[in-house]
Amino acid sequence: MAFRRSHSLQLPIGLLSLLSTISLILMATFATTTTAATTNVRLTFIRKPSKILPVFREAPVFHNGRDCTKNLVHVAMTLDSNYLRGTMAAVLSILQHSFCPENVFFHFLWSHYDEEIHTNIKTTFPYLRFKIYKFDSKKVRGKISKSIRHALDQPLNYARVYLADILPVDVNRVIYLDSDIIMVDDVEKLWRVNLEGKVLAAPEYCKANFMRYFTDEFWMDPELSRTFMGRNPCYFNTGVMVVDVHKWREGGYSYKVEEWMAVQKQKRIYHLGSLPPFLLVFAGNIKGIDHRWNQHGLGGDNIQGRCRSLHPGPISLLHWSGKGKPWLRLDSRKPCTVDHLWAPYDLYRSSKRTLEG
């Protein structure tokens, strides 16, 4: 179709457009000034910061097998916009590999109410059984010490310390999981581990150099170094734990962890975030379980986040602990080999995929 050009305008169209825009601005300014003067109200325009959350495609529906009971498996995780993509992948992997997926009940903890995140979960997993709890960041205000990585200093990273205070009283056992994990086995197997009277169970790594998790000042202090006397302390990762919530409440373990956080504020006795106080309270006194339940360290170290390969042996859970996260490395097109094991569980719907239909 051909458009007829008008010759009746003596000024260039671009100039007319500019003049019209200026006129509109002056009129709007005059109207605003007049209104403000009339009502004696000072007008202040504040632009609300926009937060762009990832968009996810809807996950498949998973149903229970024939022999499933109605016994619930309680799983606790934190919710944070920066790790939401990891959380979604983790949830999908748990449901996909569970023989009784409808029995899995998720307890999510967040620092503040976020309608967008709540909507994301509901639309991605319409049939998910879950509840969200507010973790009051004031609980750890003034108790957190700066660590070697900023992400470890976030208040929500300490929510696991207060699980027993937050969860309903009828929840006697819970599996706590970080957001950067992928489950490739039935979560109920982990749920059923025999705690043998211990407060928590986790894979132990006794070949790790336990001393490096604490400063020289800690080991040189006669009183502090006696902390592990009578125990055979081994490293364990707090991103995968089975916790007897009832025993935790009875023993007042939230307070015991807090006591060590207070010592850290006075003397720098460790460099990491919430892990060392857990080790100080529990190391050498937990139920050690098979290493297959925490193939950890796939995110590399806490400084560089370099690629790491899988440890030998069977695998039930992959854990990208460390600085490098698989979704970030995949997006940057510089993935590690292990990141391709995470990719099939990624529900992220990029703008490119959306446009392509």
Side-chain angles (χ1 to χ4, degrees):
M1 178 183 291
F3 292 94
R4 189 172 64 182
R5 180 178 295 177
S6 173
H7 297 281
S8 60
L9 298 177
Q10 297 180 352
L11 292 174
I13 294 176
L15 182 57
L16 282 173
S17 177
L18 177 61
L19 290 172
S20 299
T21 302
I22 293 172
S23 298
L24 287 172
I25 292 172
L26 290 172
M27 290 172 65
T29 303
F30 175 76
T32 302
T33 305
T34 303
T35 304
T38 304
T39 59
N40 197 28
V41 175
R42 182 179 179 182
L43 299 180
T44 303
F45 297 96
I46 301 175
R47 177 171 292 181
K48 190 175 181 181
S50 61
K51 177 183 61 186
I52 301 176
L53 288 178
V55 178
F56 303 94
R57 63 183 183 275
E58 185 176 322
V61 180
F62 301 97
H63 297 290
N64 281 359
R66 287 184 179 180
D67 300 328
C68 290
T69 65
K70 293 184 178 181
N71 297 327
L72 295 180
V73 173
H74 296 279
V75 176
M77 304 179 73
T78 56
L79 280 179
D80 177 80
S81 57
N82 293 323
Y83 286 82
L84 186 59
R85 191 167 163 188
T87 304
M88 294 295 199
V91 171
L92 175 61
S93 71
I94 293 167
L95 297 176
Q96 183 171 321
H97 294 283
S98 176
F99 184 72
C100 305
E102 294 175 274
N103 289 359
V104 184
F105 194 101
F106 288 88
H107 302 267
F108 295 117
L109 286 70
W110 59 16
S111 295
H112 60 276
Y113 179 80
D114 193 314
E115 181 61 36
E116 288 183 77
I117 292 180
H118 185 268
T119 301
N120 257 326
I121 296 172
K122 290 291 292 183
T123 55
T124 306
F125 299 100
Y127 305 100
L128 191 70
R129 304 181 72 176
F130 74 96
K131 186 175 180 179
I132 304 179
Y133 308 81
K134 168 72 181 298
F135 169 64
D136 189 358
S137 299
K138 293 178 183 177
K139 283 183 173 290
V140 290
R141 183 174 295 171
K143 298 174 184 176
I144 299 176
S145 301
K146 188 176 181 180
S147 64
I148 60 175
R149 187 157 64 90
H150 179 65
L152 301 176
D153 303 338
Q154 302 308 302
L156 197 58
N157 197 42
Y158 289 79
R160 70 196 81 188
V161 178
Y162 303 95
L163 276 176
D165 305 326
I166 298 171
L167 297 181
V169 293
D170 60 339
V171 176
N172 293 316
R173 175 182 287 211
V174 69
I175 299 172
Y176 176 82
L177 298 173
D178 276 348
S179 297
D180 51 2
I181 65 99
I182 290 295
M183 184 81 69
V184 291
D185 204 342
D186 190 350
V187 69
E188 193 165 344
K189 295 179 183 177
L190 180 59
W191 174 257
R192 289 178 177 175
V193 299
N194 186 355
L195 286 167
E196 298 180 359
K198 303 295 185 182
V199 179
L200 66 83
E204 287 184 299
Y205 302 90
C206 295
K207 292 183 179 179
N209 182 4
F210 190 79
M211 293 185 68
R212 72 185 180 92
Y213 293 98
F214 304 95
T215 63
D216 291 339
E217 185 175 0
F218 173 84
W219 294 113
M220 292 173 66
D221 187 306
E223 184 178 352
L224 293 176
S225 59
R226 282 199 298 267
T227 301
F228 297 107
M229 187 175 293
R231 291 195 263 168
N232 182 25
C234 297
Y235 164 79
F236 67 92
N237 185 283
T238 54
V240 180
M241 301 184 291
V242 183
V243 181
D244 186 322
V245 183
H246 179 68
K247 283 185 179 296
W248 184 289
R249 292 191 188 108
E250 277 191 333
Y253 285 98
S254 295
Y255 177 70
K256 292 178 180 179
V257 174
E258 281 184 331
E259 284 184 312
W260 281 112
M261 292 167 63
V263 174
Q264 167 73 351
K265 292 292 288 186
Q266 298 172 2
K267 306 176 182 179
R268 190 159 181 82
I269 60 174
Y270 53 78
H271 297 300
L272 293 174
S274 62
L275 168 65
F278 266 87
L279 296 179
L280 287 160
V281 174
F282 292 106
N285 195 26
I286 72 169
K287 167 60 180 176
I289 57 178
D290 199 295
H291 289 179
R292 70 189 302 150
W293 289 108
N294 195 349
Q295 178 82 226
H296 70 286
L298 302 183
D301 59 79
N302 280 299
I303 305 298
Q304 299 296 331
R306 295 191 180 96
C307 293
R308 287 184 179 174
S309 57
L310 296 174
H311 310 300
I315 300 171
S316 294
L317 184 146
L318 298 157
H319 187 186
W320 277 262
S321 56
K323 184 179 181 180
K325 302 306 171 189
W327 55 92
L328 297 178
R329 296 193 297 213
L330 286 164
D331 285 355
S332 67
R333 297 190 178 183
K334 296 178 181 179
C336 297
T337 302
V338 293
D339 297 340
H340 295 291
L341 299 174
W342 182 90
Y345 302 95
D346 185 15
L347 290 168
Y348 173 58
R349 187 197 296 264
S350 69
S351 57
K352 180 179 179 181
R353 291 177 186 172
T354 303
L355 290 172
E356 291 175 351

